[in-house]
Amino acid sequence: MSLWCYSFTRACAHLPLPSHPPLRAWKPRFRVTAEPPCLPPPEGTCPGTTGAAAASQLAPQTHPTTTSLPIAEIGVGTTGFGIFFILFGMLLYFDSVLLAFGNLLFLTGLSLIIGLRRTFSFFFQRHKFKGTSFFLGGVVIVLLRWPLLGMCLETYGFFSLFRGFFPVAFGFLGSASNIPFLSSLFQRLQGTSSMV
């Protein structure tokens, strides 16, 4: 066997080797973030210090986590689909299945955007208990296939829960729109709404 290999290699020694294109460097499929640039030393530290003194003066830097960003984006999409299904269910003469699906998507998206703990603390504050009971009671009644009564209760609960947000939204819409009548209307609505 070894005599055969030796004669084969001697016979093929004069043949040129095949030329292959050079191998490309491997590139990751996902974008790799680089470390942030070096920051200047904090105030009160001497740039010339070395060793343990410099290490004790500089606190470790914390970088924001990017794991919450995709969850918040999914929450925005889920909330948008929930609002779409609620509006589509109202357009189709209060279809109970679409309204129930929209309610569940809206509440799920809200909890994905701000987190479960903040959602729970938002809904179950003492001064928002009346609005919460009407809103969640309306959701339950819609799930029990009484869509018209459930949506009326939900609407009252929604306005009583989010009434502190309306002046901010009207102020933003008034400053963002350059339409003369609408901007004055939104600014007037901003002034009349209470922040309580």
Side-chain angles (χ1 to χ4, degrees), residues 33-51:
T33 58
E35 288 293 320
C38 294
L39 299 174
E43 293 181 23
T45 60
C46 180
T49 48
T50 58

Side-chain angles (χ1 to χ4, degrees), residues 27-184:
K27 293 182 182 176
R29 295 179 74 181
F30 304 102
R31 196 175 114 212
V32 178
T33 58
E35 288 293 320
C38 294
L39 299 174
E43 293 181 23
T45 60
C46 180
T49 48
T50 58
S56 65
Q57 289 179 353
L58 297 175
Q61 297 178 357
T62 58
H63 300 290
T65 58
T66 58
T67 57
S68 64
L69 183 63
I71 293 174
E73 289 176 355
I74 292 170
V76 169
T78 308
T79 305
F81 277 118
I83 291 172
F84 169 75
F85 278 112
I86 288 172
L87 293 176
F88 195 58
M90 289 180 2
L91 183 69
L92 293 176
Y93 299 113
F94 293 95
D95 184 32
S96 60
V97 175
L98 289 174
L99 291 175
F101 193 59
N103 285 329
L104 293 177
L105 284 176
F106 177 77
L107 290 175
T108 303
L110 187 66
S111 64
L112 286 175
I113 290 172
I114 63 174
L116 288 174
R117 183 172 294 155
R118 288 182 184 169
T119 304
F120 187 79
S121 67
F122 173 76
F123 278 111
F124 294 106
Q125 294 175 4
R126 183 176 293 277
H127 65 279
K128 293 184 179 181
F129 186 69
K130 179 178 163 185
T132 301
S133 60
F134 273 100
F135 184 75
L136 295 179
V139 170
V140 169
I141 289 176
V142 166
L143 289 174
L144 294 175
R145 297 196 179 238
W146 289 75
L148 189 59
L149 177 64
M151 286 307 292
C152 290
L153 292 176
E154 270 186 60
T155 304
Y156 177 74
F158 181 80
F159 281 120
S160 64
L161 276 174
F162 294 101
R163 69 175 170 223
F165 176 71
F166 291 132
V168 176
F170 288 143
F172 174 74
L173 290 174
S175 65
S177 66
N178 292 328
I179 302 171
F181 176 73
L182 286 180
S183 62
S184 64

